[in-house]
Amino acid sequence: MSSTELRRTALDATHRALGATMTDFAGWDMPLRYGSERDEHIAVRTRAGLFDLSHMGEIAVTGPQAAALLDHALVGNISGVKPGRARYTMICREDGGILDDLIVYRLGETDYLVVANASNAGAVLEALTARAAGFDAEVRDDGDAHALLAVQGPESAGILGSLTDADLKGLKYYAGLPGTVAGVPALIARTGYTGEDGFELFVRPEHAARVWEALTEAGKDAGLVPCGLSCRDTLRLEAGMPLYGHELSTALTPFDAGLGRVVKFEKEGDFVGRAALAEAAERAAAEPPRVLVGLVAEGRRVPRAGYAVVVDGRTVGEVTSGAPSPTLGRPIAMAYVDAAHAAPGTPGVGVDIRGTHEPYEVVALPFYQRQK
């Protein structure tokens, strides 16, 4: 295999048979869309969508001191996570910069599964391996042992419920439990990246096509459709969820990103980046950094990452993500803006789109929140 050849998931043949438009994403050949990305987006908001997320990185951390290692390596209080539950957290550099945002599942007393973004999986594995020195714990790249499927949307519980022996009604948000789906073993997690109720299913790669086909069949009458990365991005944008490389980067600390709540200074022992993050917390309290806000277009032009946010001709911020919103029917964006211009309804805010200052309304995030 050449160094430039894209990696393919266990569902590659399925995507091609469905006529998917494929794209290079973090070195993986992934489905961008199957037909209309707008239709896929609306299906997830109103019915259900089925995603292949097998490009995500899975790292197993096991052993007597697995919890202690993760408390040291990550900013969260991982030892406080109960078996069967999951936690959103981050791994930072010594200077406080965000290496990646993660979900950590506690599978047992001494067994954890760390799920990293595809683009950062190698860096996270390398950092965790280095930080494991001196701990009685093993860090193992488990990516090849997993395929990851997601079924998301208001009909997802009913669709998945017809195929599993697991107690989905008792499964809380950010929890996971072992069970079977379509007769094969799976870790079933009530997590997702769409703003809707839904489930992520970790299965063996050789079982992925069987589970995909079973979900497709079970969801036929409920309006389930296959969904690609394009609508996944607009769904998470509407839900105000950050994307690494856009809202998060090594140039930002969690406090710069408005996510200081994930840093748990009260946990026992030292952790990587603690001193720098304490300083960042003090700076943020004394002088608020740029604030992540929502922007809704008054016109039809779509803002893109890197475009300047302007007030009276002055740059006061920068767009991090932008796209047409199928739910709102208008272009939307997330942007970091100076605190003085971050309040919803702040007058005179625009986005410089190729030399024209297009008017935008500042709104609180998220743009969309499902009815519980």
Side-chain angles (χ1 to χ4, degrees):
M1 177 169 154
S2 76
S3 60
T4 56
E5 191 174 336
L6 296 177
R7 297 179 69 181
R8 297 185 173 191
T9 77
L11 289 162
D12 183 74
T14 301
H15 302 318
R16 292 174 194 281
L18 288 168
T21 299
M22 306 296 285
T23 188
D24 175 358
F25 187 86
W28 290 82
D29 206 11
M30 297 296 295
L32 186 64
R33 69 180 73 83
Y34 298 85
S36 158
E37 56 202 49
R38 183 178 182 278
D39 289 349
E40 292 171 22
H41 179 113
I42 290 170
V44 175
R45 285 278 178 259
T46 60
R47 303 184 304 277
L50 180 58
F51 297 82
D52 179 11
L53 307 179
S54 303
H55 60 310
M56 301 290 281
E58 290 92 12
I59 301 162
V61 181
T62 59
Q65 290 188 299
L69 162 58
L70 290 169
D71 276 348
H72 165 71
L74 311 180
V75 302
N77 182 12
I78 307 305
S79 58
V81 178
K82 294 178 181 175
R85 300 305 301 266
R87 182 153 297 168
Y88 176 79
T89 187
M90 294 182 181
I91 182 168
C92 290
R93 301 192 307 191
E94 198 68 68
D95 66 3
I98 302 166
L99 270 175
D100 201 13
D101 60 335
L102 313 164
I103 296 180
V104 179
Y105 297 89
R106 187 170 191 173
L107 306 181
E109 283 302 320
T110 60
D111 296 309
Y112 294 82
L113 183 66
V114 177
V115 179
N117 286 296
S119 56
N120 296 329
V124 173
L125 176 66
E126 187 178 325
L128 286 175
T129 302
R131 294 173 191 188
F135 289 91
D136 186 6
E138 180 193 357
V139 175
R140 183 178 72 249
D141 182 358
D142 237 10
D144 289 343
H146 293 95
L148 178 56
L149 286 69
V151 55
Q152 298 277 302
E155 299 291 339
S156 58
I159 294 166
L160 180 58
S162 69
L163 296 172
T164 182
D165 57 353
D167 174 20
L168 298 185
K169 286 184 179 174
L171 185 63
K172 296 177 180 176
Y173 187 51
Y174 265 70
L177 82 172
T180 62
V181 177
V184 304
L187 170 64
I188 303 165
R190 200 164 208 151
T191 46
Y193 195 49
T194 63
E196 298 298 335
D197 187 22
F199 303 86
E200 294 182 321
L201 311 172
F202 298 83
V203 299
R204 294 283 311 174
E206 59 267 27
H207 296 149
R210 175 175 169 180
V211 173
W212 180 282
E213 287 161 13
L215 286 164
T216 299
E217 184 62 29
K220 198 160 37 176
D221 292 340
L224 176 139
V225 301
C227 294
L229 292 176
S230 187
C231 84
R232 180 171 154 88
D233 189 47
T234 53
L235 288 159
R236 70 92 195 167
L237 176 55
E238 287 185 350
M241 295 177 169
L243 175 63
Y244 196 90
H246 289 255
E247 288 73 41
L248 308 174
S249 72
T250 52
L252 298 171
T253 72
F255 295 95
D256 297 322
L259 292 166
R261 64 182 181 276
V262 305
V263 182
K264 304 300 181 185
F265 292 115
E266 69 275 15
K267 64 180 174 176
E268 287 185 23
D270 197 14
F271 61 91
V272 176
R274 183 183 191 118
L277 289 167
E279 290 180 11
E282 287 181 16
R283 283 197 308 272
E287 184 181 344
R290 281 186 166 178
V291 179
L292 188 65
V293 302
L295 299 174
V296 178
E298 293 182 17
R300 310 303 303 174
R301 298 185 72 186
V302 178
R304 298 298 182 192
Y307 285 12
V309 180
V310 293
V311 172
D312 296 329
R314 290 182 301 108
T315 297
V316 299
E318 185 176 303
V319 170
T320 54
S321 297
S325 166
T327 304
L328 275 64
R330 289 194 282 171
I332 60 173
M334 287 199 282
Y336 283 112
V337 302
D338 295 345
H341 302 285
T346 298
V349 174
V351 175
D352 186 340
I353 301 181
R354 296 176 183 169
T356 302
H357 293 180
E358 298 286 340
Y360 272 74
E361 180 188 359
V362 179
V363 300
L365 292 169
F367 299 97
Y368 166 85
Q369 203 156 14
R370 70 183 173 93
Q371 300 300 308
K372 302 284 172 108

